[in-house]
Amino acid sequence: MIGARRDSAQRRVSVVIPCYNGERYIADTIRSVLRQKHDSLEIIVVDDGSTDGSRSAVASFNGEVVYLQQPHGGAARARNLGVERASGALLAFLDADDLWTDNALRALAAPLERDPALGMTVGLMEQFVSPELPDGARHGFRFSPDPVPARMCGTVLMRRSEFDRVGLLSPHLESGEFTDWILRAEAAGLTFATVAELVLRRRLHLLNHGVVRRDARKDYVKVVKAALDRRRAAAAPEGPA
Amino acid sequence: MKAHDVYRVNSPQVVYENIDGELILVHMEKGAYYTTDEVGAALWDLIESRCTVSEIREALGSQFEAGPAEIEAATASFLEQLVGEELVLREDPASDRTPHRRPLPISKRPFRAPDLQSYRDMQDMLALDPIHDVEAAGWPVPKPDDASVTSQYA
């Protein structure tokens, strides 16, 4: 335990949670992080110009959560602001409606502590329909209830140094900004390992970004195109290796 | 496939855009993405304009240097691929349509049977957006342009 304490700065995990009108679920999300058995944990909530009661929902965690605010500017900007403020050597992202499993951080952190060459770990995700939804709405969701590997906010833990090497999330993307980051990280040679453990429970509800902002899905096409162009440039003989 | 068949893009599962002359298609539910070439993009435009199969052939014949048999075979095979990947769906024959007429090109371009490249390496990231069947549920889902509704990120 003494060794663990001495290394606590190296072990500190910063969890960045952007929040835009997330009053209904954010307390659950924060509690799921507080349940982690990790000796050095920092929770940063970035309120992205919410117009609901998000602020007071977070205020009840006074002392346990760093609360930042920005004018509404999108998830990427909010996550970037949170990273700027983060002090941990390890970095995780979570959305304001999703839940970590109790063992998430332990499962994700262990391989990174064992292997200094590893840049990121990825766990499994399962989806659930938010329990308060009426039956009519519940049955509208099509999804597989099985845990699946998914590189997304909430399933990954990375070294801060690797995040800095890859760079900030693109603020121009309304959707797919984290997918874009992962693909840029891949191109930059980030090494990651998958842990076969459920770490994220993703809440499906009627205000999911993908449900409300279907138009923003077009950003995924841009993300794919950028990744294809990077690969082609890397494969071209005169391109960067 | 009949000459008067009409196809439509499998929205909202499929999103697409022509960026720098390259047509990229993403099937969000499958988590697959696709690229195609110039002729494929031209054919996609015609599908999007709700042309019948015979109108597609005719339009391609006016845009590209190829005989009717070559165009017919290439159109059939490309449409088959698109249907197979669930990127387009065949419309009910009775559905009304007003196909968009394009101006004829000044000179024809060389023809090559269109190619659809499919990729699945981003499946764990692309197939994540929740799909919600509004009609099936009979539940009102807010429209994006409704100012009273704000989305969350997830």
Side-chain angles (χ1 to χ4, degrees):
Chain A
M1 283 315 285
I2 290 165
R5 259 165 216 259
R6 198 191 300 134
D7 291 337
S8 112
Q10 277 312 302
R11 285 172 46 81
R12 183 174 305 145
V13 174
S14 298
V15 187
V16 174
I17 309 174
C19 175
Y20 181 53
N21 291 341
E23 64 174 350
R24 190 181 286 178
Y25 305 123
I26 190 155
D28 278 356
T29 300
I30 292 171
R31 276 192 289 270
S32 82
V33 179
L34 290 172
R35 276 198 298 272
Q36 305 300 313
K37 294 184 179 54
H38 195 82
D39 51 22
S40 186
L41 190 61
E42 172 185 61
I43 303 176
I44 300 170
V45 173
V46 183
D47 189 335
D48 183 26
S50 293
T51 53
D52 69 350
S54 292
R55 190 195 175 111
S56 48
V58 178
S60 58
F61 297 96
N62 191 22
E64 294 176 293
V65 173
V66 176
Y67 177 78
L68 307 176
Q69 278 178 297
Q70 68 171 23
H72 185 50
R77 281 192 182 86
R79 293 189 218 279
N80 287 340
L81 179 65
V83 173
E84 248 174 63
R85 177 65 166 71
S87 63
L90 297 174
L91 187 61
F93 296 95
L94 195 57
D95 284 332
D97 45 4
D98 296 340
L99 305 172
W100 263 353
T101 62
D102 291 357
N103 201 39
L105 212 45
R106 198 200 313 232
L108 291 171
L112 290 166
E113 284 164 9
R114 278 197 304 268
D115 180 2
L118 196 58
M120 184 175 88
T121 46
V122 187
L124 306 183
M125 177 273 292
E126 73 175 6
Q127 311 197 77
F128 70 102
V129 178
S130 202
E132 82 285 1
L133 290 194
D135 279 353
R138 299 180 65 80
H139 297 138
F141 284 105
R142 273 188 281 152
F143 67 100
S144 160
D146 302 325
V148 290
R151 287 169 288 170
M152 61 183 286
C153 287
T155 62
V156 303
L157 181 66
M158 66 185 79
R159 293 191 200 281
R160 169 63 187 268
S161 55
E162 286 298 287
F163 181 90
D164 290 342
R165 190 167 71 81
V166 175
L168 295 170
L169 297 153
S170 168
H172 309 295
L173 296 168
E174 266 191 82
S175 282
E177 80 280 353
F178 199 72
T179 299
D180 178 67
W181 189 91
I182 294 281
L183 292 165
R184 281 160 48 205
E186 259 184 359
L190 174 83
T191 52
F192 70 92
T194 302
V195 296
E197 186 142 0
L198 180 67
V199 298
L200 180 70
R201 302 193 65 232
R202 185 191 198 200
R203 186 192 304 267
L204 300 178
H205 55 93
L206 293 177
L207 294 180
N208 279 125
H209 191 61
V211 173
V212 178
R213 292 298 316 279
R214 262 182 188 174
D215 53 326
R217 285 175 163 199
K218 269 216 159 187
D219 281 352
Y220 281 100
V221 182
K222 295 184 173 67
V223 168
V224 165
K225 168 70 174 166
L228 282 167
D229 285 349
R230 271 192 301 269
R231 285 179 199 172
R232 288 165 183 160
E238 72 276 28
Chain B
M1 179 174 315
K2 299 184 197 77
H4 61 265
D5 279 349
V6 176
Y7 293 81
R8 69 172 168 84
V9 177
N10 185 13
S11 298
Q13 288 90 329
V14 175
V15 290
Y16 58 95
E17 197 177 334
N18 193 315
I19 307 174
D20 303 333
E22 180 175 31
L23 178 65
I24 315 262
L25 307 136
V26 182
H27 194 305
M28 302 293 297
E29 208 173 348
K30 289 175 189 275
Y33 62 99
Y34 309 82
T35 60
T36 187
D37 46 27
E38 187 196 3
V39 179
L43 216 154
W44 183 267
D45 276 353
L46 294 162
I47 295 169
E48 208 197 349
S49 309
R50 306 174 61 75
C51 289
T52 62
V53 171
S54 71
E55 285 163 349
I56 290 173
R57 292 179 199 145
E58 191 189 324
L60 291 178
S62 70
Q63 289 176 39
F64 296 96
E65 287 164 356
E70 191 181 358
I71 284 181
E72 187 175 338
T75 301
S77 128
F78 193 67
L79 274 168
E80 230 164 71
Q81 282 186 74
L82 295 177
V83 171
E85 296 289 341
E86 294 172 62
L87 293 168
V88 302
L89 306 170
R90 199 158 65 87
E91 282 271 56
D92 288 336
S95 72
D96 49 86
R97 63 184 192 96
T98 42
H100 176 66
R101 288 275 168 196
R102 278 154 204 280
L104 290 177
I106 297 153
S107 65
K108 292 187 182 185
R109 287 167 286 167
F111 183 82
R112 220 184 58 178
D115 182 36
L116 187 73
Q117 292 285 335
S118 122
Y119 306 83
R120 310 247 160 192
D121 58 294
M122 299 179 193
Q123 209 159 16
D124 71 317
M125 295 185 282
L126 295 177
L128 289 175
D129 253 358
I131 305 289
H132 195 265
D133 287 329
V134 184
E135 293 87 341
W139 181 257
V141 161
K143 293 278 189 294
D145 54 353
D146 182 345
S148 69
V149 172
T150 51
S151 76
Q152 300 181 345
Y153 296 133

